[in-house]
Amino acid sequence: MSFIEVKNVSKTFCINKRQSGVTGMLANLFAPKYEIKEAVKDISFSIGQGEMVGFIGPNGAGKSTTIKMLSGILFPESGEITVGGLIPYKQRKAYVGSIGVVFGQKSQLQWDLPVIDSFELLKAIYRVPEEVYQKNMKRYTEMLEMGGFIHQPVRQLSLGQRMRADIVAALLHSPKIVFFDEPTIGVDVVGKETIRNFIRELNEQDNVTMLFTTHDMQDIEKTCDRLIIIDAGRKVYDGTLPGIRERYGTTRQLDVEFSLQQEIEPMEKVAVVDLGDNKKRFVFESHEIHINELMNQLLNRYSIRDMNISEPEIESIIRKIYSGEARDAKSGCKEA
Protein backbone atom coordinates (compact mmCIF):
# COMPACT_ATOMS: atom_id res chain seq x y z
CA MET A 1 0.00 0.00 0.00
CA SER A 2 1.29 3.48 -0.85
CA PHE A 3 2.25 5.83 1.96
CA ILE A 4 1.12 8.94 0.05
CA GLU A 5 -1.93 8.83 -2.23
CA VAL A 6 -2.97 11.78 -4.36
CA LYS A 7 -6.02 11.09 -6.53
CA ASN A 8 -7.42 13.54 -9.10
CA VAL A 9 -6.59 16.59 -6.98
CA SER A 10 -7.40 20.08 -8.24
CA LYS A 11 -7.09 23.50 -6.61
CA THR A 12 -8.16 26.93 -7.84
CA PHE A 13 -7.63 30.41 -6.45
CA CYS A 14 -9.71 33.55 -6.82
CA ILE A 15 -7.33 36.44 -7.60
CA ASN A 16 -8.33 40.07 -7.26
CA LYS A 17 -7.57 41.93 -10.53
CA ARG A 18 -7.21 45.54 -9.41
CA GLN A 19 -6.40 48.32 -11.83
CA SER A 20 -3.52 50.67 -11.03
CA GLY A 21 -3.89 54.17 -9.62
CA VAL A 22 -6.51 55.86 -7.44
CA THR A 23 -9.27 55.24 -9.98
CA GLY A 24 -8.48 51.54 -10.00
CA MET A 25 -8.43 51.45 -6.20
CA LEU A 26 -11.89 53.06 -6.00
CA ALA A 27 -13.29 50.81 -8.73
CA ASN A 28 -11.96 47.76 -6.87
CA LEU A 29 -13.59 49.00 -3.66
CA PHE A 30 -17.10 49.23 -5.15
CA ALA A 31 -16.96 46.72 -8.02
CA PRO A 32 -14.07 44.31 -7.50
CA LYS A 33 -13.07 42.03 -10.37
CA TYR A 34 -11.70 38.56 -9.88
CA GLU A 35 -9.87 36.00 -11.99
CA ILE A 36 -10.01 32.27 -11.36
CA LYS A 37 -6.59 30.61 -11.56
CA GLU A 38 -6.25 26.82 -11.77
CA ALA A 39 -3.13 26.16 -9.71
CA VAL A 40 -3.40 22.34 -9.77
CA LYS A 41 -5.34 20.40 -12.39
CA ASP A 42 -6.40 16.80 -11.75
CA ILE A 43 -3.05 15.53 -10.41
CA SER A 44 -2.63 11.91 -9.33
CA PHE A 45 0.41 10.06 -7.96
CA SER A 46 1.38 7.69 -5.18
CA ILE A 47 4.58 7.44 -3.14
CA GLY A 48 5.71 4.44 -1.13
CA GLN A 49 7.13 4.46 2.40
CA GLY A 50 10.82 5.36 2.30
CA GLU A 51 10.86 6.77 -1.25
CA MET A 52 12.91 9.86 -2.06
CA VAL A 53 11.08 11.86 -4.73
CA GLY A 54 11.95 15.10 -6.48
CA PHE A 55 8.85 17.21 -7.11
CA ILE A 56 9.82 20.00 -9.49
CA GLY A 57 8.44 22.51 -11.96
CA PRO A 58 8.92 26.09 -13.17
CA ASN A 59 7.76 29.03 -11.08
CA GLY A 60 3.96 29.11 -10.92
CA ALA A 61 3.63 25.46 -11.97
CA GLY A 62 1.59 24.47 -8.90
CA LYS A 63 4.22 22.54 -6.96
CA SER A 64 4.10 24.75 -3.86
CA THR A 65 0.30 24.52 -3.82
CA THR A 66 0.54 20.73 -4.00
CA ILE A 67 3.08 20.60 -1.17
CA LYS A 68 0.87 22.84 0.98
CA MET A 69 -2.06 20.48 0.40
CA LEU A 70 0.14 17.50 1.29
CA SER A 71 1.26 19.23 4.48
CA GLY A 72 -2.34 20.13 5.43
CA ILE A 73 -2.00 23.92 5.07
CA LEU A 74 -4.42 24.00 2.11
CA PHE A 75 -7.31 21.71 1.22
CA PRO A 76 -8.00 20.34 -2.28
CA GLU A 77 -11.02 21.65 -4.15
CA SER A 78 -11.63 18.20 -5.58
CA GLY A 79 -9.95 14.83 -5.33
CA GLU A 80 -8.43 13.01 -2.36
CA ILE A 81 -5.16 13.12 -0.42
CA THR A 82 -4.08 10.63 2.22
CA VAL A 83 -0.68 10.37 3.92
CA GLY A 84 -0.03 7.40 6.15
CA GLY A 85 -3.77 6.77 6.31
CA LEU A 86 -4.54 10.33 7.45
CA ILE A 87 -6.23 13.15 5.54
CA PRO A 88 -3.83 16.09 6.12
CA TYR A 89 -6.30 18.99 6.16
CA LYS A 90 -8.99 17.12 8.12
CA GLN A 91 -6.85 15.35 10.73
CA ARG A 92 -4.26 18.09 11.07
CA LYS A 93 -3.53 17.72 14.80
CA ALA A 94 -2.78 14.01 14.46
CA TYR A 95 -0.96 14.58 11.18
CA VAL A 96 1.52 17.36 12.01
CA GLY A 97 3.32 15.17 14.53
CA SER A 98 4.31 12.75 11.76
CA ILE A 99 5.74 15.29 9.29
CA GLY A 100 8.78 17.54 9.11
CA VAL A 101 9.12 20.60 6.88
CA VAL A 102 12.34 22.36 5.85
CA PHE A 103 12.00 25.69 4.04
CA GLY A 104 15.27 26.99 2.62
CA GLN A 105 14.05 30.60 2.75
CA LYS A 106 12.15 30.50 6.05
CA SER A 107 13.59 29.31 9.34
CA GLN A 108 11.68 27.86 12.28
CA LEU A 109 14.56 28.72 14.63
CA GLN A 110 14.41 31.64 17.08
CA TRP A 111 16.63 34.39 15.65
CA ASP A 112 18.15 35.72 18.89
CA LEU A 113 18.37 32.46 20.83
CA PRO A 114 21.09 29.80 20.71
CA VAL A 115 20.27 26.87 18.43
CA ILE A 116 19.97 24.50 21.38
CA ASP A 117 17.24 26.69 22.91
CA SER A 118 15.17 26.45 19.72
CA PHE A 119 15.57 22.69 19.86
CA GLU A 120 14.33 22.64 23.46
CA LEU A 121 11.31 24.73 22.47
CA LEU A 122 10.45 22.37 19.60
CA LYS A 123 10.84 19.43 21.96
CA ALA A 124 8.13 20.95 24.17
CA ILE A 125 5.84 21.83 21.24
CA TYR A 126 5.97 18.30 19.80
CA ARG A 127 6.06 16.66 23.25
CA VAL A 128 9.11 14.62 22.31
CA PRO A 129 10.09 12.18 25.09
CA GLU A 130 13.40 13.12 26.72
CA GLU A 131 15.10 9.87 25.70
CA VAL A 132 14.05 10.25 22.05
CA TYR A 133 15.04 13.93 22.01
CA GLN A 134 18.53 13.33 23.43
CA LYS A 135 19.14 10.40 21.08
CA ASN A 136 18.01 12.30 17.98
CA MET A 137 19.80 15.53 18.84
CA LYS A 138 23.10 13.75 19.53
CA ARG A 139 22.87 11.65 16.40
CA TYR A 140 21.82 14.41 13.98
CA THR A 141 24.17 17.10 15.29
CA GLU A 142 27.10 14.68 15.00
CA MET A 143 26.13 13.64 11.47
CA LEU A 144 25.84 17.29 10.41
CA GLU A 145 28.94 18.41 12.35
CA MET A 146 27.08 21.02 14.41
CA GLY A 147 29.04 20.77 17.66
CA GLY A 148 30.92 24.01 17.03
CA PHE A 149 27.86 26.25 16.75
CA ILE A 150 24.93 24.62 18.54
CA HIS A 151 25.28 27.08 21.44
CA GLN A 152 25.53 30.17 19.20
CA PRO A 153 22.57 32.49 18.50
CA VAL A 154 20.95 31.77 15.17
CA ARG A 155 21.65 35.32 13.93
CA GLN A 156 25.40 34.61 14.16
CA LEU A 157 25.28 31.51 11.95
CA SER A 158 26.25 31.29 8.31
CA LEU A 159 23.53 30.25 5.87
CA GLY A 160 24.96 26.72 5.64
CA GLN A 161 25.03 26.36 9.43
CA ARG A 162 21.47 27.66 9.74
CA MET A 163 20.23 25.21 7.11
CA ARG A 164 21.80 22.29 8.97
CA ALA A 165 20.18 23.49 12.21
CA ASP A 166 16.81 23.84 10.45
CA ILE A 167 17.05 20.28 9.15
CA VAL A 168 17.72 18.93 12.65
CA ALA A 169 14.84 21.02 14.00
CA ALA A 170 12.49 19.36 11.49
CA LEU A 171 13.63 15.88 12.51
CA LEU A 172 13.76 16.00 16.32
CA HIS A 173 10.29 14.44 16.68
CA SER A 174 11.17 11.51 14.32
CA PRO A 175 8.74 12.33 11.48
CA LYS A 176 7.73 9.64 8.99
CA ILE A 177 7.82 12.09 6.08
CA VAL A 178 9.88 15.23 5.42
CA PHE A 179 9.10 17.95 2.88
CA PHE A 180 12.20 19.79 1.68
CA ASP A 181 11.75 23.14 -0.06
CA GLU A 182 15.09 24.38 -1.48
CA PRO A 183 17.14 22.75 1.34
CA THR A 184 20.53 23.85 -0.07
CA ILE A 185 19.67 27.31 -1.46
CA GLY A 186 22.60 29.69 -1.01
CA VAL A 187 24.74 26.99 0.67
CA ASP A 188 28.37 26.54 -0.44
CA VAL A 189 29.60 23.41 -2.23
CA VAL A 190 30.91 21.70 0.93
CA GLY A 191 27.72 22.48 2.84
CA LYS A 192 25.54 21.15 0.02
CA GLU A 193 27.43 17.85 -0.01
CA THR A 194 27.20 17.52 3.79
CA ILE A 195 23.42 18.04 3.67
CA ARG A 196 22.94 15.63 0.74
CA ASN A 197 25.03 12.91 2.44
CA PHE A 198 23.00 13.33 5.63
CA ILE A 199 19.70 13.08 3.75
CA ARG A 200 20.76 9.90 1.94
CA GLU A 201 22.03 8.29 5.15
CA LEU A 202 18.86 9.17 7.07
CA ASN A 203 16.70 7.68 4.33
CA GLU A 204 18.72 4.46 4.22
CA GLN A 205 18.84 3.99 7.99
CA ASP A 206 15.38 5.21 9.07
CA ASN A 207 13.31 4.68 5.91
CA VAL A 208 12.00 8.25 6.09
CA THR A 209 9.87 9.30 3.10
CA MET A 210 11.20 12.50 1.53
CA LEU A 211 9.74 14.89 -1.02
CA PHE A 212 11.94 17.61 -2.52
CA THR A 213 11.03 20.81 -4.30
CA THR A 214 14.14 22.53 -5.60
CA HIS A 215 15.61 24.32 -8.61
CA ASP A 216 19.01 22.73 -7.99
CA MET A 217 18.97 19.57 -10.09
CA GLN A 218 22.09 18.25 -8.34
CA ASP A 219 20.00 18.02 -5.16
CA ILE A 220 17.65 15.73 -7.07
CA GLU A 221 20.33 13.73 -8.90
CA LYS A 222 22.34 13.05 -5.73
CA THR A 223 19.44 12.16 -3.44
CA CYS A 224 16.35 11.02 -5.37
CA ASP A 225 15.53 7.86 -7.31
CA ARG A 226 12.32 9.26 -8.76
CA LEU A 227 11.21 12.52 -10.31
CA ILE A 228 7.74 14.06 -10.68
CA ILE A 229 7.53 17.11 -12.96
CA ILE A 230 4.56 19.46 -12.84
CA ASP A 231 3.91 22.28 -15.30
CA ALA A 232 0.91 24.61 -15.62
CA GLY A 233 -0.79 22.66 -12.86
CA ARG A 234 -0.53 19.28 -14.60
CA LYS A 235 1.79 16.33 -14.13
CA VAL A 236 4.00 15.94 -17.20
CA TYR A 237 6.43 13.25 -16.01
CA ASP A 238 6.61 10.65 -13.26
CA GLY A 239 9.48 8.19 -13.37
CA THR A 240 13.16 7.54 -12.78
CA LEU A 241 16.04 9.87 -13.61
CA PRO A 242 17.45 7.45 -16.25
CA GLY A 243 13.92 7.21 -17.63
CA ILE A 244 13.70 10.93 -18.32
CA ARG A 245 16.90 10.74 -20.38
CA GLU A 246 15.49 7.81 -22.31
CA ARG A 247 12.17 9.55 -22.94
CA TYR A 248 13.20 13.17 -23.53
CA GLY A 249 16.99 13.23 -23.84
CA THR A 250 17.02 12.50 -27.58
CA THR A 251 19.83 14.94 -28.42
CA ARG A 252 23.31 13.39 -28.51
CA GLN A 253 26.70 14.84 -29.22
CA LEU A 254 29.88 13.23 -30.49
CA ASP A 255 33.12 15.12 -29.83
CA VAL A 256 35.86 14.14 -32.27
CA GLU A 257 39.55 15.03 -32.26
CA PHE A 258 41.06 14.67 -35.73
CA SER A 259 44.70 13.92 -36.48
CA LEU A 260 44.78 16.91 -38.86
CA GLN A 261 42.69 19.99 -39.51
CA GLN A 262 39.69 18.75 -41.50
CA GLU A 263 36.97 20.26 -43.62
CA ILE A 264 33.85 18.22 -42.87
CA GLU A 265 31.48 17.43 -45.69
CA PRO A 266 27.85 18.40 -44.94
CA MET A 267 25.94 15.58 -43.22
CA GLU A 268 22.16 15.28 -43.29
CA LYS A 269 20.48 15.83 -39.89
CA VAL A 270 23.83 16.41 -38.18
CA ALA A 271 25.00 19.83 -36.93
CA VAL A 272 28.77 20.35 -36.84
CA VAL A 273 30.38 22.72 -34.32
CA ASP A 274 34.05 23.72 -34.62
CA LEU A 275 35.72 23.49 -31.19
CA GLY A 276 39.19 24.50 -32.42
CA ASP A 277 42.47 22.54 -32.13
CA ASN A 278 41.35 19.96 -34.72
CA LYS A 279 38.25 19.18 -32.63
CA LYS A 280 34.65 19.20 -33.80
CA ARG A 281 31.30 18.40 -32.19
CA PHE A 282 28.57 16.51 -34.06
CA VAL A 283 25.08 17.14 -32.65
CA PHE A 284 22.16 14.94 -33.70
CA GLU A 285 18.88 13.35 -32.60
CA SER A 286 19.19 9.74 -31.51
CA HIS A 287 15.90 8.76 -33.18
CA GLU A 288 17.12 10.14 -36.53
CA ILE A 289 20.80 9.12 -36.60
CA HIS A 290 22.29 5.92 -35.15
CA ILE A 291 25.53 6.63 -33.32
CA ASN A 292 27.31 3.60 -34.81
CA GLU A 293 26.50 4.72 -38.35
CA LEU A 294 27.81 8.21 -37.68
CA MET A 295 31.03 6.88 -36.14
CA ASN A 296 31.59 4.51 -39.06
CA GLN A 297 31.12 7.34 -41.56
CA LEU A 298 33.68 9.49 -39.79
CA LEU A 299 36.21 6.68 -39.30
CA ASN A 300 35.98 5.71 -42.98
CA ARG A 301 36.45 9.28 -44.23
CA TYR A 302 38.90 10.91 -41.82
CA SER A 303 41.95 10.25 -39.67
CA ILE A 304 40.71 10.38 -36.09
CA ARG A 305 42.68 10.54 -32.85
CA ASP A 306 39.89 10.37 -30.27
CA MET A 307 36.08 10.24 -29.89
CA ASN A 308 33.77 10.94 -26.96
CA ILE A 309 29.98 10.42 -26.82
CA SER A 310 27.92 12.37 -24.30
CA GLU A 311 24.25 12.50 -23.29
CA PRO A 312 22.48 15.73 -22.36
CA GLU A 313 22.53 16.78 -18.71
CA ILE A 314 19.33 16.32 -16.74
CA GLU A 315 19.18 20.07 -16.16
CA SER A 316 19.14 20.84 -19.89
CA ILE A 317 16.39 18.25 -20.47
CA ILE A 318 14.27 19.75 -17.67
CA ARG A 319 14.77 23.21 -19.14
CA LYS A 320 13.49 21.99 -22.52
CA ILE A 321 10.46 20.36 -20.90
CA TYR A 322 9.61 23.64 -19.15
CA SER A 323 9.91 25.57 -22.41
CA GLY A 324 7.93 22.98 -24.41
CA GLU A 325 10.92 22.13 -26.63
CA ALA A 326 11.46 18.60 -25.31
CA ARG A 327 10.56 15.79 -27.66
CA ASP A 328 8.94 12.64 -26.29
CA ALA A 329 10.94 9.83 -27.89
CA LYS A 330 8.05 7.40 -27.44
CA SER A 331 5.54 9.47 -29.38
CA GLY A 332 7.88 11.58 -31.48
CA CYS A 333 5.97 14.70 -30.36
CA LYS A 334 7.04 17.75 -28.39
CA GLU A 335 5.69 18.40 -24.94
CA ALA A 336 2.90 20.97 -24.98
Side-chain angles (χ1 to χ4, degrees):
M1 183 178 175
S2 298
F3 184 64
I4 299 174
E5 282 285 353
V6 176
K7 296 181 180 178
N8 306 114
V9 167
S10 296
K11 181 68 176 178
T12 61
F13 292 102
C14 189
I15 302 173
N16 189 308
K17 300 293 290 183
R18 196 188 79 179
Q19 298 179 13
S20 60
V22 176
T23 304
M25 182 179 67
L26 292 172
N28 183 72
L29 184 63
F30 294 102
K33 294 182 179 179
Y34 297 94
E35 177 185 343
I36 302 298
K37 180 183 177 182
E38 293 183 282
V40 176
K41 306 173 186 177
D42 197 35
I43 283 181
S44 297
F45 59 84
S46 60
I47 296 173
Q49 177 70 54
E51 275 199 87
M52 300 177 72
V53 180
F55 189 72
I56 67 171
N59 292 331
K63 59 184 184 298
S64 294
T65 300
T66 305
I67 293 298
K68 287 176 181 177
M69 288 190 288
L70 283 169
S71 59
I73 298 172
L74 296 176
F75 62 90
E77 208 156 288
S78 62
E80 300 176 1
I81 296 176
T82 57
V83 181
L86 298 175
I87 300 173
Y89 65 96
K90 285 186 177 180
Q91 299 165 286
R92 184 157 173 75
K93 285 187 178 180
Y95 179 62
V96 293
S98 66
I99 69 172
V101 182
V102 179
F103 292 106
Q105 300 183 46
K106 186 177 181 181
S107 177
Q108 59 179 318
L109 304 172
Q110 301 301 308
W111 189 246
D112 290 312
L113 297 180
V115 174
I116 187 69
D117 287 5
S118 288
F119 289 172
E120 291 284 349
L121 180 60
L122 290 167
K123 169 196 168 188
I125 291 172
Y126 285 101
R127 299 178 182 177
V128 182
E130 180 67 25
E131 183 180 348
V132 174
Y133 169 75
Q134 292 296 339
K135 177 183 175 182
N136 285 347
M137 189 183 69
K138 182 176 186 298
R139 178 188 174 201
Y140 299 151
T141 54
E142 285 179 359
M143 290 171 70
L144 285 169
E145 302 173 0
M146 291 174 53
F149 61 84
I150 195 170
H151 295 286
Q152 288 182 225
V154 173
R155 57 183 166 77
Q156 294 180 359
L157 304 184
S158 68
L159 183 56
Q161 290 172 331
R162 183 178 64 75
M163 279 309 310
R164 280 182 275 169
D166 265 313
I167 289 171
V168 173
L171 297 170
L172 286 172
H173 58 293
S174 303
K176 297 178 182 177
I177 178 172
V178 182
F179 299 104
F180 290 99
D181 184 9
E182 302 286 1
T184 65
I185 188 169
V187 180
D188 62 40
V189 175
V190 175
K192 284 177 185 280
E193 199 58 31
T194 299
I195 291 172
R196 290 165 184 161
N197 289 338
F198 170 78
I199 288 170
R200 283 196 300 267
E201 190 171 343
L202 184 69
N203 173 258
E204 291 170 2
Q205 294 180 0
D206 294 6
N207 203 35
V208 178
T209 306
M210 300 181 180
L211 197 63
F212 294 80
T213 58
T214 178
H215 291 290
D216 188 337
M217 284 308 300
Q218 286 200 4
D219 282 351
I220 302 295
E221 289 187 83
K222 294 189 175 184
T223 56
C224 298
D225 301 315
R226 179 179 165 197
L227 185 63
I228 298 175
I229 302 176
I230 181 174
D231 192 13
R234 297 188 184 278
K235 186 177 72 175
V236 297
Y237 179 79
D238 184 353
T240 64
L241 287 167
I244 201 169
R245 279 199 173 97
E246 181 181 341
R247 182 169 179 177
Y248 294 107
T250 58
T251 302
R252 297 288 184 273
Q253 64 184 38
L254 177 66
D255 291 345
V256 179
E257 181 180 359
F258 296 90
S259 301
L260 303 168
Q261 182 66 34
Q262 298 284 352
E263 287 296 328
I264 305 299
E265 298 178 15
M267 305 176 72
E268 189 177 358
K269 297 181 180 179
V270 178
V272 182
V273 181
D274 190 349
L275 302 178
D277 296 327
N278 299 340
K279 297 178 181 178
K280 296 189 186 295
R281 174 169 295 164
F282 297 82
V283 183
F284 58 97
E285 295 294 322
S286 59
H287 61 279
E288 295 177 342
I289 303 291
H290 197 285
I291 183 63
N292 290 337
E293 293 177 3
L294 177 59
M295 292 174 67
N296 286 334
Q297 286 185 48
L298 295 171
L299 288 167
N300 289 333
R301 294 180 186 179
Y302 309 104
S303 176
I304 292 174
R305 182 176 297 166
D306 191 22
M307 284 185 170
N308 181 52
I309 307 166
S310 61
E311 294 183 337
E313 295 181 352
I314 286 289
E315 192 165 345
S316 68
I317 298 173
I318 300 299
R319 193 161 49 244
K320 286 185 176 181
I321 292 174
Y322 289 172
S323 65
E325 297 175 8
R327 182 184 294 274
D328 188 334
K330 294 182 179 180
S331 66
C333 298
K334 287 185 177 181
E335 278 296 302

